[in-house]
Amino acid sequence: MSNMILIVDDEEDIRTSLGGILEDEGYLVVTAENGTDAIDVVREEVPDLVLLDIWMPGMDGIQTLGQIKQLFPEMTVVMMSGHGTIETAVRATRLGAFDFIEKPFSLDKLLITVGNAIKLKELRKENLVLRLSAQKEHDLVGATPAMESLRLSIQRVASASTPVLITGEPGVGKELSARVIHYLGSRRDRPFVTINCMAIPADLLYAELFGYERDGGPEGAAHKRGRFDLADGGTIFLDEIQELPVDVQTELLRVLSENSFERQGGQRPVRCDIRVIAATSRSLEAAREAGSFLEDLYHRLQVVPLHICPLRERLADIPLLVRHFVNQFHQREGWEPMQFSAEVLELMQGYEWPGNVRELKNVVERILIMVAGPVVTAGDLPELLPSLASTAAPEDGGGEQCSLTAARQQFEREFIQQRLAVCGWDLERAALSLGLERTSLHRKLVQYHLTPEKGTGA
């Protein structure tokens, strides 16, 4: 679809000649002879670019520009004038004009300016799409009261810069919640830096977080910027914050109270503008009472506490989470989409999920890789997830688990093996014969340990 350009000029000759040039370049052109008509066209057509003359009777170009920007702040406008001044150009730029071109037009200058303006429009559109995509990627999935309450709390705190403390068991989504806070806030275009305080030796944490100068670093290194330098203007997420040594806690308290820190071996404060989001899977209050966590830092972090409940307390969200992880996997890998049967989802909702959402995601991806066919059924679970399948496996009169699932799997395995033998292990022909995609057949081979060398797969 061609980009639409609105030409606003009180001189008909200019509208005609300029319109002809742009139409020859493939643009769709509409025109208006005054500011009032231009506003009407903008409302109805929403053009990709406006070429706006400054000197017009009635509503001049500067006034028209102001009204256009009120209606559509992101609309790209290029000002035109035969006798413009620097003062006028500066005023137009402050109101949001993209550029300023003089009459009579240089054809090359005109086409370059129009081309650059259209590119800016496309870049803004791409940026919006990427931003919406990023927000969707960092959505909090769930419709239970616990998730609705968490989502509402995050929306309230996102616009502030106060510290946030997120608590919850491992795997519940503390880092994801921190990212949502960051992307919903005013710092979304600045860095989001994460660090797991448990993953770095205690004697290296200070230098890792705050950097070092001169002989303050290991092996005589002269200078290194830390994670707080990298996060300046944005957000830093400190996971398992209870693992911070006391000297690092002291410097973190300084960041929260004075917006500055000192590098290891440094002699001067470094200014910073950083939002701190901390998380822990343990009790900070217990650490404070034991004397391993500073009292002042504890209270600083408690300004906005958020708790994320374990998955076992919101099992009704599992179908939504499964669908979300399936869509993520499909978009990332490009495999054909799969569905989980109602029976499988019911089994999943009867499981305790000690690893929480992280465990659920890993299980879903394992199933998507190992199971063939468009629908995941209960018969696919015993071999892959015996602990999950056993949570709701029925028993017969003899006290043994129902053998229907095993019988179904055995029949499918033997049937696939037979077709493969008939087709001489030509996977393309065998998949066509079985009515499967080749990738689905391949996953079945993995699931049932079938190989041409072993024949039976035993």
Side-chain angles (χ1 to χ4, degrees):
M1 183 177 178
S2 300
N3 290 293
M4 178 184 290
I5 299 178
L6 168 62
I7 302 172
V8 187
D9 198 298
D10 60 317
E11 296 184 43
E12 184 178 358
D13 289 345
I14 291 181
R15 296 197 304 271
T16 301
S17 60
L18 187 53
I21 292 171
L22 294 175
E23 285 176 343
D24 288 343
E25 294 295 320
Y27 297 109
L28 179 63
V29 175
V30 291
T31 63
E33 61 180 325
N34 56 59
T36 302
D37 290 348
I39 298 300
D40 291 339
V41 173
V42 166
R43 283 196 177 102
E44 292 178 7
E45 303 289 351
V46 192
D48 298 289
L49 171 65
V50 178
L51 297 178
L52 179 58
D53 187 35
I54 290 182
W55 303 106
M56 296 185 297
M59 184 190 299
D60 65 21
I62 296 296
Q63 294 171 318
T64 305
L65 172 63
Q67 291 203 23
I68 289 175
K69 286 296 182 178
Q70 284 183 352
L71 291 171
F72 300 99
E74 298 300 319
M75 185 162 289
T76 308
V77 181
V78 172
M79 306 303 293
M80 308 182 296
S81 177
H83 35 269
T85 64
I86 294 178
E87 180 182 354
T88 305
V90 169
R91 188 179 171 194
T93 302
R94 287 177 177 172
L95 285 173
F98 170 74
D99 205 346
F100 187 98
I101 55 178
E102 293 182 341
K103 303 175 183 176
F105 303 119
S106 161
L107 183 58
D108 289 340
K109 164 70 173 174
L110 171 68
L111 294 180
I112 289 173
T113 301
V114 168
N116 289 338
I118 293 296
K119 286 180 183 177
L120 174 66
K121 165 79 174 180
E122 295 302 320
L123 285 173
R124 283 174 174 168
K125 186 186 297 184
E126 289 177 12
N127 185 53
L128 177 60
V129 170
L130 289 172
R131 182 172 294 176
L132 292 175
S133 176
Q135 289 177 357
K136 187 174 182 180
E137 181 182 348
H138 299 108
D139 275 348
L140 290 172
V141 178
T144 55
M147 287 306 296
E148 292 291 354
S149 176
L150 176 64
R151 193 177 289 111
L152 180 60
S153 297
I154 284 177
Q155 289 173 350
R156 286 174 175 169
V157 305
S159 58
S161 292
T162 51
V164 177
L165 176 65
I166 305 174
T167 60
E169 296 177 6
V172 294
K174 297 187 289 293
E175 181 176 339
L176 174 62
S177 297
R179 288 184 182 275
V180 173
I181 292 172
H182 174 75
Y183 284 108
L184 289 180
S186 59
R187 299 171 183 261
R188 67 178 68 89
D189 295 322
R190 304 297 297 164
F192 178 86
V193 178
T194 69
I195 187 166
N196 188 327
C197 304
M198 188 180 290
I200 299 175
D203 58 337
L204 298 180
L205 262 171
Y206 192 105
E208 184 66 29
L209 286 173
F210 303 109
Y212 50 77
E213 294 181 3
R214 291 190 292 278
D215 58 351
E219 301 179 359
H223 179 84
K224 179 187 176 182
R225 300 176 71 200
R227 300 290 183 93
F228 274 79
D229 286 285
L230 300 178
D232 192 31
T235 303
I236 192 165
F237 174 64
L238 303 173
D239 198 10
E240 301 299 352
I241 194 173
Q242 77 282 348
E243 299 297 322
L244 289 181
V246 173
D247 63 329
V248 181
Q249 293 180 39
T250 302
E251 202 63 20
L252 177 58
L253 182 60
R254 179 176 181 175
V255 170
L256 296 177
S257 58
E258 302 176 13
N259 294 320
S260 67
F261 61 87
E262 285 189 8
R263 297 190 179 96
Q264 193 172 51
Q267 302 296 321
R268 59 181 181 81
V270 178
R271 300 294 299 174
C272 63
D273 173 25
I274 299 171
R275 182 173 198 174
V276 175
I277 302 178
T280 179
S281 58
R282 302 180 187 176
S283 171
L284 272 192
E285 185 174 0
R288 176 181 63 88
E289 291 175 353
S292 61
F293 204 84
L294 296 178
E295 181 95 16
D296 288 349
L297 181 57
Y298 172 81
H299 291 298
R300 281 274 183 176
L301 294 174
Q302 287 286 349
V303 173
V304 182
L306 297 176
H307 179 72
I308 306 178
C309 69
L311 184 55
R312 63 181 174 275
E313 294 180 10
R314 58 183 189 101
L315 293 173
D317 284 332
I318 284 180
L320 294 176
L321 286 164
V322 169
R323 188 183 312 141
H324 176 69
F325 294 141
V326 169
N327 290 338
Q328 277 190 335
F329 186 86
H330 172 61
Q331 292 172 6
R332 186 178 74 238
E333 303 295 340
W335 292 14
E336 65 270 17
M338 298 175 66
Q339 292 183 337
F340 283 59
S341 69
E343 187 179 5
V344 170
L345 293 175
E346 185 177 349
L347 287 173
M348 288 181 160
Q349 288 176 289
Y351 181 58
E352 286 293 313
W353 298 103
N356 290 295
V357 178
R358 183 185 300 148
E359 181 185 7
L360 175 63
K361 181 178 181 180
N362 291 340
V363 164
V364 169
E365 293 201 356
R366 187 187 315 157
I367 290 173
L368 294 175
I369 293 170
M370 300 300 293
V371 174
V375 179
V376 180
T377 66
D380 297 314
L381 297 184
E383 184 176 346
L384 297 173
L385 306 164
S387 59
L388 179 59
S390 66
T391 60
E395 296 186 351
D396 59 22
E400 297 180 353
Q401 288 186 355
C402 176
S403 60
L404 178 61
T405 295
R408 185 188 300 116
Q409 286 187 314
Q410 182 64 25
F411 172 79
E412 184 177 59
R413 184 179 185 279
E414 292 176 357
F415 185 69
I416 291 174
Q417 180 183 337
Q418 180 188 35
R419 288 298 179 92
L420 286 166
V422 169
C423 296
W425 276 85
D426 184 327
L427 297 188
E428 197 73 42
R429 287 176 54 204
L432 184 62
S433 173
L434 291 164
L436 295 174
E437 295 287 338
R438 179 165 177 160
T439 54
S440 299
L441 176 58
H442 180 72
R443 288 202 294 271
K444 283 293 184 184
L445 299 185
V446 175
Q447 178 183 352
Y448 292 130
H449 308 290
L450 293 170
T451 64
E453 293 81 9
K454 295 182 179 180
T456 62

mmCIF file of all heavy atoms in Angstrom, residues 255-296:
data_model
loop_
_atom_site.group_PDB
_atom_site.id
_atom_site.type_symbol
_atom_site.label_atom_id
_atom_site.label_comp_id
_atom_site.label_asym_id
_atom_site.label_seq_id
_atom_site.Cartn_x
_atom_site.Cartn_y
_atom_site.Cartn_z
ATOM 1 N N VAL A 255 23.034 3.745 47.811
ATOM 2 C CA VAL A 255 22.388 3.988 46.522
ATOM 3 C C VAL A 255 20.942 4.426 46.729
ATOM 4 O O VAL A 255 20.458 5.374 46.109
ATOM 5 C CB VAL A 255 22.444 2.719 45.638
ATOM 6 C CG1 VAL A 255 21.564 2.898 44.402
ATOM 7 C CG2 VAL A 255 23.871 2.417 45.225
ATOM 8 N N LEU A 256 20.237 3.728 47.619
ATOM 9 C CA LEU A 256 18.821 4.014 47.839
ATOM 10 C C LEU A 256 18.595 5.345 48.547
ATOM 11 O O LEU A 256 17.574 5.999 48.339
ATOM 12 C CB LEU A 256 18.186 2.882 48.648
ATOM 13 C CG LEU A 256 18.148 1.515 47.968
ATOM 14 C CD1 LEU A 256 17.573 0.465 48.900
ATOM 15 C CD2 LEU A 256 17.347 1.566 46.669
ATOM 16 N N SER A 257 19.546 5.761 49.371
ATOM 17 C CA SER A 257 19.350 6.990 50.146
ATOM 18 C C SER A 257 19.996 8.214 49.508
ATOM 19 O O SER A 257 19.505 9.333 49.647
ATOM 20 C CB SER A 257 19.889 6.811 51.576
ATOM 21 O OG SER A 257 21.265 6.456 51.544
ATOM 22 N N GLU A 258 21.122 8.019 48.776
ATOM 23 C CA GLU A 258 21.878 9.154 48.246
ATOM 24 C C GLU A 258 22.024 9.147 46.721
ATOM 25 O O GLU A 258 22.612 10.073 46.159
ATOM 26 C CB GLU A 258 23.282 9.190 48.874
ATOM 27 C CG GLU A 258 23.278 9.269 50.391
ATOM 28 C CD GLU A 258 24.680 9.204 50.963
ATOM 29 O OE1 GLU A 258 25.657 9.351 50.178
ATOM 30 O OE2 GLU A 258 24.817 9.008 52.175
ATOM 31 N N ASN A 259 21.526 8.110 46.047
ATOM 32 C CA ASN A 259 21.675 7.978 44.596
ATOM 33 C C ASN A 259 23.142 8.051 44.168
ATOM 34 O O ASN A 259 23.487 8.688 43.160
ATOM 35 C CB ASN A 259 20.869 9.051 43.858
ATOM 36 C CG ASN A 259 19.377 8.881 44.048
ATOM 37 O OD1 ASN A 259 18.871 7.762 44.034
ATOM 38 N ND2 ASN A 259 18.677 9.978 44.242
ATOM 39 N N SER A 260 24.006 7.383 44.916
ATOM 40 C CA SER A 260 25.425 7.335 44.562
ATOM 41 C C SER A 260 26.057 6.105 45.183
ATOM 42 O O SER A 260 25.489 5.474 46.081
ATOM 43 C CB SER A 260 26.152 8.602 45.037
ATOM 44 O OG SER A 260 26.182 8.642 46.450
ATOM 45 N N PHE A 261 27.247 5.750 44.677
ATOM 46 C CA PHE A 261 28.007 4.635 45.242
ATOM 47 C C PHE A 261 29.479 4.873 44.957
ATOM 48 O O PHE A 261 29.851 5.752 44.169
ATOM 49 C CB PHE A 261 27.557 3.303 44.615
ATOM 50 C CG PHE A 261 27.764 3.212 43.131
ATOM 51 C CD1 PHE A 261 28.965 2.771 42.583
ATOM 52 C CD2 PHE A 261 26.746 3.592 42.253
ATOM 53 C CE1 PHE A 261 29.160 2.704 41.214
ATOM 54 C CE2 PHE A 261 26.928 3.516 40.873
ATOM 55 C CZ PHE A 261 28.138 3.082 40.357
ATOM 56 N N GLU A 262 30.338 4.092 45.606
ATOM 57 C CA GLU A 262 31.776 4.153 45.338
ATOM 58 C C GLU A 262 32.232 2.812 44.801
ATOM 59 O O GLU A 262 31.832 1.759 45.293
ATOM 60 C CB GLU A 262 32.556 4.496 46.612
ATOM 61 C CG GLU A 262 32.452 5.949 47.009
ATOM 62 C CD GLU A 262 33.405 6.297 48.154
ATOM 63 O OE1 GLU A 262 34.234 5.430 48.519
ATOM 64 O OE2 GLU A 262 33.310 7.416 48.674
ATOM 65 N N ARG A 263 33.081 2.861 43.770
ATOM 66 C CA ARG A 263 33.654 1.632 43.254
ATOM 67 C C ARG A 263 34.693 1.080 44.229
ATOM 68 O O ARG A 263 35.235 1.814 45.052
ATOM 69 C CB ARG A 263 34.293 1.874 41.887
ATOM 70 C CG ARG A 263 33.297 2.303 40.818
ATOM 71 C CD ARG A 263 33.931 2.284 39.428
ATOM 72 N NE ARG A 263 32.946 2.672 38.423
ATOM 73 C CZ ARG A 263 32.813 3.903 37.959
ATOM 74 N NH1 ARG A 263 33.605 4.868 38.410
ATOM 75 N NH2 ARG A 263 31.886 4.189 37.051
ATOM 76 N N GLN A 264 34.951 -0.191 44.113
ATOM 77 C CA GLN A 264 35.967 -0.788 44.968
ATOM 78 C C GLN A 264 37.316 -0.145 44.662
ATOM 79 O O GLN A 264 37.761 -0.089 43.510
ATOM 80 C CB GLN A 264 36.035 -2.296 44.706
ATOM 81 C CG GLN A 264 36.816 -3.061 45.746
ATOM 82 C CD GLN A 264 36.666 -4.558 45.539
ATOM 83 O OE1 GLN A 264 36.865 -5.062 44.439
ATOM 84 N NE2 GLN A 264 36.286 -5.266 46.586
ATOM 85 N N GLY A 265 37.966 0.380 45.699
ATOM 86 C CA GLY A 265 39.234 1.075 45.507
ATOM 87 C C GLY A 265 39.082 2.517 45.090
ATOM 88 O O GLY A 265 40.080 3.225 44.943
ATOM 89 N N GLY A 266 37.847 2.982 44.888
ATOM 90 C CA GLY A 266 37.616 4.355 44.465
ATOM 91 C C GLY A 266 37.610 5.331 45.630
ATOM 92 O O GLY A 266 37.434 4.946 46.791
ATOM 93 N N GLN A 267 37.783 6.606 45.317
ATOM 94 C CA GLN A 267 37.842 7.643 46.351
ATOM 95 C C GLN A 267 36.752 8.698 46.173
ATOM 96 O O GLN A 267 36.704 9.662 46.940
ATOM 97 C CB GLN A 267 39.216 8.338 46.314
ATOM 98 C CG GLN A 267 40.386 7.394 46.514
ATOM 99 C CD GLN A 267 40.370 6.745 47.886
ATOM 100 O OE1 GLN A 267 40.034 7.376 48.887
ATOM 101 N NE2 GLN A 267 40.742 5.464 47.940
ATOM 102 N N ARG A 268 35.891 8.541 45.173
ATOM 103 C CA ARG A 268 34.859 9.556 44.930
ATOM 104 C C ARG A 268 33.527 8.876 44.642
ATOM 105 O O ARG A 268 33.477 7.772 44.092
ATOM 106 C CB ARG A 268 35.244 10.442 43.746
ATOM 107 C CG ARG A 268 35.428 9.662 42.460
ATOM 108 C CD ARG A 268 35.837 10.552 41.294
ATOM 109 N NE ARG A 268 35.988 9.772 40.076
ATOM 110 C CZ ARG A 268 34.992 9.386 39.287
ATOM 111 N NH1 ARG A 268 33.738 9.735 39.616
ATOM 112 N NH2 ARG A 268 35.211 8.682 38.192
ATOM 113 N N PRO A 269 32.432 9.517 45.026
ATOM 114 C CA PRO A 269 31.112 8.933 44.765
ATOM 115 C C PRO A 269 30.757 9.006 43.277
ATOM 116 O O PRO A 269 31.121 9.956 42.583
ATOM 117 C CB PRO A 269 30.170 9.793 45.605
ATOM 118 C CG PRO A 269 30.870 11.101 45.763
ATOM 119 C CD PRO A 269 32.331 10.777 45.792
ATOM 120 N N VAL A 270 30.042 8.004 42.815
ATOM 121 C CA VAL A 270 29.558 7.962 41.437
ATOM 122 C C VAL A 270 28.055 8.150 41.478
ATOM 123 O O VAL A 270 27.331 7.381 42.123
ATOM 124 C CB VAL A 270 29.900 6.606 40.777
ATOM 125 C CG1 VAL A 270 29.338 6.556 39.354
ATOM 126 C CG2 VAL A 270 31.400 6.374 40.778
ATOM 127 N N ARG A 271 27.558 9.184 40.803
ATOM 128 C CA ARG A 271 26.132 9.457 40.806
ATOM 129 C C ARG A 271 25.395 8.433 39.948
ATOM 130 O O ARG A 271 25.906 7.963 38.931
ATOM 131 C CB ARG A 271 25.849 10.861 40.270
ATOM 132 C CG ARG A 271 26.489 11.985 41.056
ATOM 133 C CD ARG A 271 25.908 12.106 42.449
ATOM 134 N NE ARG A 271 24.469 12.390 42.428
ATOM 135 C CZ ARG A 271 23.709 12.437 43.517
ATOM 136 N NH1 ARG A 271 24.237 12.185 44.716
ATOM 137 N NH2 ARG A 271 22.427 12.718 43.409
ATOM 138 N N CYS A 272 24.182 8.086 40.357
ATOM 139 C CA CYS A 272 23.401 7.122 39.588
ATOM 140 C C CYS A 272 21.903 7.416 39.741
ATOM 141 O O CYS A 272 21.471 8.005 40.726
ATOM 142 C CB CYS A 272 23.704 5.687 40.030
ATOM 143 S SG CYS A 272 23.266 5.329 41.748
ATOM 144 N N ASP A 273 21.162 6.997 38.747
ATOM 145 C CA ASP A 273 19.697 7.111 38.766
ATOM 146 C C ASP A 273 19.146 5.734 38.416
ATOM 147 O O ASP A 273 19.007 5.398 37.243
ATOM 148 C CB ASP A 273 19.232 8.170 37.766
ATOM 149 C CG ASP A 273 17.710 8.211 37.619
ATOM 150 O OD1 ASP A 273 17.019 7.797 38.569
ATOM 151 O OD2 ASP A 273 17.225 8.622 36.547
ATOM 152 N N ILE A 274 18.854 4.942 39.419
ATOM 153 C CA ILE A 274 18.514 3.537 39.211
ATOM 154 C C ILE A 274 17.334 3.151 40.087
ATOM 155 O O ILE A 274 17.276 3.510 41.267
ATOM 156 C CB ILE A 274 19.709 2.622 39.557
ATOM 157 C CG1 ILE A 274 20.896 2.947 38.661
ATOM 158 C CG2 ILE A 274 19.346 1.147 39.422
ATOM 159 C CD1 ILE A 274 22.172 2.260 39.072
ATOM 160 N N ARG A 275 16.398 2.419 39.500
ATOM 161 C CA ARG A 275 15.334 1.813 40.311
ATOM 162 C C ARG A 275 15.785 0.421 40.720
ATOM 163 O O ARG A 275 16.226 -0.373 39.888
ATOM 164 C CB ARG A 275 14.023 1.709 39.538
ATOM 165 C CG ARG A 275 12.919 1.126 40.423
ATOM 166 C CD ARG A 275 11.578 1.146 39.791
ATOM 167 N NE ARG A 275 10.539 0.989 40.806
ATOM 168 C CZ ARG A 275 9.247 1.078 40.576
ATOM 169 N NH1 ARG A 275 8.813 1.334 39.354
ATOM 170 N NH2 ARG A 275 8.383 0.940 41.551
ATOM 171 N N VAL A 276 15.660 0.113 42.002
ATOM 172 C CA VAL A 276 16.073 -1.179 42.529
ATOM 173 C C VAL A 276 14.842 -2.043 42.787
ATOM 174 O O VAL A 276 13.924 -1.638 43.498
ATOM 175 C CB VAL A 276 16.881 -1.014 43.834
ATOM 176 C CG1 VAL A 276 17.199 -2.384 44.444
ATOM 177 C CG2 VAL A 276 18.170 -0.240 43.570
ATOM 178 N N ILE A 277 14.843 -3.221 42.176
ATOM 179 C CA ILE A 277 13.833 -4.231 42.461
ATOM 180 C C ILE A 277 14.570 -5.452 43.003
ATOM 181 O O ILE A 277 15.477 -5.976 42.352
ATOM 182 C CB ILE A 277 13.013 -4.616 41.224
ATOM 183 C CG1 ILE A 277 12.335 -3.384 40.631
ATOM 184 C CG2 ILE A 277 11.983 -5.679 41.566
ATOM 185 C CD1 ILE A 277 11.529 -3.669 39.374
ATOM 186 N N ALA A 278 14.224 -5.858 44.203
ATOM 187 C CA ALA A 278 14.884 -6.991 44.851
ATOM 188 C C ALA A 278 13.905 -8.148 44.970
ATOM 189 O O ALA A 278 12.688 -7.963 44.930
ATOM 190 C CB ALA A 278 15.400 -6.593 46.228
ATOM 191 N N ALA A 279 14.454 -9.346 45.098
ATOM 192 C CA ALA A 279 13.608 -10.527 45.256
ATOM 193 C C ALA A 279 14.280 -11.516 46.188
ATOM 194 O O ALA A 279 15.514 -11.550 46.300
ATOM 195 C CB ALA A 279 13.338 -11.181 43.899
ATOM 196 N N THR A 280 13.475 -12.316 46.839
ATOM 197 C CA THR A 280 13.998 -13.358 47.720
ATOM 198 C C THR A 280 12.995 -14.494 47.823
ATOM 199 O O THR A 280 11.787 -14.273 47.760
ATOM 200 C CB THR A 280 14.314 -12.813 49.124
ATOM 201 O OG1 THR A 280 14.795 -13.867 49.950
ATOM 202 C CG2 THR A 280 13.078 -12.199 49.769
ATOM 203 N N SER A 281 13.533 -15.702 47.937
ATOM 204 C CA SER A 281 12.680 -16.866 48.169
ATOM 205 C C SER A 281 12.708 -17.269 49.642
ATOM 206 O O SER A 281 12.111 -18.263 50.028
ATOM 207 C CB SER A 281 13.145 -18.047 47.298
ATOM 208 O OG SER A 281 14.495 -18.366 47.581
ATOM 209 N N ARG A 282 13.413 -16.481 50.453
ATOM 210 C CA ARG A 282 13.511 -16.753 51.885
ATOM 211 C C ARG A 282 12.949 -15.576 52.675
ATOM 212 O O ARG A 282 12.526 -14.582 52.110
ATOM 213 C CB ARG A 282 14.960 -17.035 52.274
ATOM 214 C CG ARG A 282 15.579 -18.203 51.506
ATOM 215 C CD ARG A 282 17.000 -18.440 51.918
ATOM 216 N NE ARG A 282 17.642 -19.444 51.081
ATOM 217 C CZ ARG A 282 18.917 -19.787 51.182
ATOM 218 N NH1 ARG A 282 19.688 -19.190 52.082
ATOM 219 N NH2 ARG A 282 19.419 -20.710 50.382
ATOM 220 N N SER A 283 13.019 -15.675 53.968
ATOM 221 C CA SER A 283 12.469 -14.633 54.828
ATOM 222 C C SER A 283 13.545 -13.598 55.142
ATOM 223 O O SER A 283 14.525 -13.904 55.833
ATOM 224 C CB SER A 283 11.931 -15.245 56.127
ATOM 225 O OG SER A 283 11.595 -14.227 57.048
ATOM 226 N N LEU A 284 13.369 -12.373 54.622
ATOM 227 C CA LEU A 284 14.292 -11.301 54.973
ATOM 228 C C LEU A 284 14.152 -10.901 56.421
ATOM 229 O O LEU A 284 15.120 -10.477 57.067
ATOM 230 C CB LEU A 284 14.036 -10.081 54.076
ATOM 231 C CG LEU A 284 14.760 -9.993 52.729
ATOM 232 C CD1 LEU A 284 14.609 -8.605 52.158
ATOM 233 C CD2 LEU A 284 16.216 -10.379 52.842
ATOM 234 N N GLU A 285 12.954 -11.033 56.948
ATOM 235 C CA GLU A 285 12.741 -10.689 58.361
ATOM 236 C C GLU A 285 13.558 -11.609 59.261
ATOM 237 O O GLU A 285 14.167 -11.151 60.231
ATOM 238 C CB GLU A 285 11.259 -10.808 58.710
ATOM 239 C CG GLU A 285 10.940 -10.349 60.120
ATOM 240 C CD GLU A 285 9.449 -10.346 60.411
ATOM 241 O OE1 GLU A 285 8.667 -10.701 59.505
ATOM 242 O OE2 GLU A 285 9.084 -9.993 61.549
ATOM 243 N N ALA A 286 13.610 -12.897 58.911
ATOM 244 C CA ALA A 286 14.414 -13.835 59.691
ATOM 245 C C ALA A 286 15.891 -13.484 59.589
ATOM 246 O O ALA A 286 16.627 -13.555 60.584
ATOM 247 C CB ALA A 286 14.168 -15.262 59.207
ATOM 248 N N ALA A 287 16.344 -13.075 58.369
ATOM 249 C CA ALA A 287 17.744 -12.679 58.193
ATOM 250 C C ALA A 287 18.048 -11.418 59.001
ATOM 251 O O ALA A 287 19.127 -11.288 59.587
ATOM 252 C CB ALA A 287 18.035 -12.451 56.718
ATOM 253 N N ARG A 288 17.086 -10.505 59.038
ATOM 254 C CA ARG A 288 17.273 -9.283 59.830
ATOM 255 C C ARG A 288 17.375 -9.605 61.318
ATOM 256 O O ARG A 288 18.249 -9.086 62.024
ATOM 257 C CB ARG A 288 16.107 -8.330 59.573
ATOM 258 C CG ARG A 288 16.119 -7.052 60.419
ATOM 259 C CD ARG A 288 14.910 -6.195 60.101
ATOM 260 N NE ARG A 288 13.667 -6.863 60.433
ATOM 261 C CZ ARG A 288 13.077 -6.817 61.631
ATOM 262 N NH1 ARG A 288 13.648 -6.142 62.623
ATOM 263 N NH2 ARG A 288 11.934 -7.441 61.839
ATOM 264 N N GLU A 289 16.500 -10.469 61.775
ATOM 265 C CA GLU A 289 16.519 -10.834 63.193
ATOM 266 C C GLU A 289 17.790 -11.596 63.560
ATOM 267 O O GLU A 289 18.282 -11.506 64.690
ATOM 268 C CB GLU A 289 15.288 -11.677 63.518
ATOM 269 C CG GLU A 289 13.984 -10.889 63.448
ATOM 270 C CD GLU A 289 12.767 -11.766 63.660
ATOM 271 O OE1 GLU A 289 12.941 -13.010 63.729
ATOM 272 O OE2 GLU A 289 11.649 -11.223 63.755
ATOM 273 N N ALA A 290 18.341 -12.323 62.583
ATOM 274 C CA ALA A 290 19.575 -13.073 62.836
ATOM 275 C C ALA A 290 20.814 -12.180 62.737
ATOM 276 O O ALA A 290 21.933 -12.627 63.038
ATOM 277 C CB ALA A 290 19.688 -14.224 61.848
ATOM 278 N N GLY A 291 20.632 -10.932 62.295
ATOM 279 C CA GLY A 291 21.737 -9.990 62.197
ATOM 280 C C GLY A 291 22.516 -10.057 60.901
ATOM 281 O O GLY A 291 23.538 -9.377 60.755
ATOM 282 N N SER A 292 22.060 -10.846 59.929
ATOM 283 C CA SER A 292 22.778 -10.964 58.648
ATOM 284 C C SER A 292 22.244 -10.007 57.593
ATOM 285 O O SER A 292 22.781 -9.955 56.483
ATOM 286 C CB SER A 292 22.700 -12.410 58.145
ATOM 287 O OG SER A 292 21.348 -12.782 57.924
ATOM 288 N N PHE A 293 21.187 -9.264 57.906
ATOM 289 C CA PHE A 293 20.636 -8.299 56.962
ATOM 290 C C PHE A 293 20.379 -6.987 57.691
ATOM 291 O O PHE A 293 19.766 -6.974 58.777
ATOM 292 C CB PHE A 293 19.339 -8.820 56.345
ATOM 293 C CG PHE A 293 19.019 -8.201 55.020
ATOM 294 C CD1 PHE A 293 19.581 -8.692 53.845
ATOM 295 C CD2 PHE A 293 18.178 -7.102 54.925
ATOM 296 C CE1 PHE A 293 19.308 -8.120 52.619
ATOM 297 C CE2 PHE A 293 17.897 -6.511 53.706
ATOM 298 C CZ PHE A 293 18.463 -7.025 52.543
ATOM 299 N N LEU A 294 20.871 -5.880 57.113
ATOM 300 C CA LEU A 294 20.808 -4.580 57.774
ATOM 301 C C LEU A 294 19.367 -4.128 58.006
ATOM 302 O O LEU A 294 18.516 -4.227 57.116
ATOM 303 C CB LEU A 294 21.520 -3.527 56.924
ATOM 304 C CG LEU A 294 23.029 -3.716 56.717
ATOM 305 C CD1 LEU A 294 23.561 -2.608 55.815
ATOM 306 C CD2 LEU A 294 23.761 -3.725 58.049
ATOM 307 N N GLU A 295 19.123 -3.617 59.194
ATOM 308 C CA GLU A 295 17.792 -3.144 59.575
ATOM 309 C C GLU A 295 17.309 -2.027 58.655
ATOM 310 O O GLU A 295 16.182 -2.051 58.156
ATOM 311 C CB GLU A 295 17.824 -2.650 61.025
ATOM 312 C CG GLU A 295 16.501 -2.143 61.551
ATOM 313 C CD GLU A 295 15.735 -3.207 62.304
ATOM 314 O OE1 GLU A 295 16.326 -4.218 62.674
ATOM 315 O OE2 GLU A 295 14.525 -3.014 62.489
ATOM 316 N N ASP A 296 18.179 -1.032 58.398
ATOM 317 C CA ASP A 296 17.777 0.100 57.553
ATOM 318 C C ASP A 296 17.477 -0.344 56.121
ATOM 319 O O ASP A 296 16.514 0.127 55.507
ATOM 320 C CB ASP A 296 18.879 1.165 57.543
ATOM 321 C CG ASP A 296 18.965 1.918 58.863
ATOM 322 O OD1 ASP A 296 18.045 1.743 59.688
ATOM 323 O OD2 ASP A 296 19.949 2.654 59.063
#
